């Protein structure tokens, strides 16, 4: 799951860079909170599993994922309140970003649970 997390993070950073290049600075900044969860998962998996050869338990992985999701959702809420001016754009942005985080966290936890069981 480390490789997939690196790919998701890279794609989100490419999306932010393309928005920045098309002179949509606010939306480029608004995509950055989405990179927190896959980046944390990739870094923990890479450094913990590959480099340090640590066996990280299921509960520890869930705590790390939930912590990253809390940071990301808080950042999304802050950007919604300060960055986006139009009310029309705030609600879909917040719902979409938080749904993305919840679904991605569920996928990560499902993966770690299936690794635990088999």
């Amino acid at each position: 799951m480390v490789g997939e997390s690196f790919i998701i993070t890279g794609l989100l950073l490419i999306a932010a860079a393309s928005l920045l290049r098309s002179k949509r600075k606010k939306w480029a900044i608004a995509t950055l909170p989405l990179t927190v969860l896959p980046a944390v998962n990739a870094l923990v998996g890479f450094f913990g599993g590959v480099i340090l050869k640590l066996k990280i338990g299921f509960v520890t992985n869930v705590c790390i994922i939930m912590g990253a999701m809390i940071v990301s959702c808080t950042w999304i809420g802050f950007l919604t309140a300060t960055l986006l001016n139009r009310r029309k754009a705030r609600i879909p942005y917040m719902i979409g970003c938080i749904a993305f985080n919840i679904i991605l966290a569920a996928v990560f936890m499902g993966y770690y649970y299936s690794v635990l069981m088999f």
Side-chain angles (χ1 to χ4, degrees):
M1 203 56 146
V2 174
E4 291 88 347
S5 296
F6 274 122
I7 291 171
I8 293 168
T9 304
L11 288 174
L12 289 170
L13 289 174
I14 289 170
S18 65
L19 284 168
L20 190 62
R21 188 175 169 137
S22 67
K23 310 263 191 287
R24 296 184 186 267
K25 183 181 175 184
K26 287 183 179 180
W27 286 104
I29 294 170
T31 59
L32 293 179
L34 297 176
T35 62
V36 172
L37 184 62
V40 166
N41 188 49
L43 291 175
V44 166
F46 182 71
F47 287 115
V50 177
I51 293 181
L52 300 176
K53 304 287 186 207
L54 295 174
K55 178 87 171 147
I56 300 173
F58 176 71
V59 175
T60 306
N61 279 325
V62 169
C63 289
I64 291 168
I65 289 170
M66 295 308 276
M69 194 170 83
I70 289 169
V71 168
S72 179
C73 289
T74 304
W75 193 7
I76 289 167
F78 174 75
L79 289 179
T80 301
T82 60
L83 192 67
L84 302 177
N85 298 333
R86 292 181 294 160
R87 182 174 172 90
K88 196 176 192 180
R90 287 180 184 175
I91 303 299
Y93 166 73
M94 193 183 308
I95 290 172
C97 288
I98 291 174
F100 174 82
N101 278 333
I102 290 171
I103 292 168
L104 192 60
V107 168
F108 288 154
M109 284 190 264
Y111 170 76
Y112 290 126
Y113 184 74
S114 69
V115 168
L116 174 73
M117 298 310 287
F118 299 109

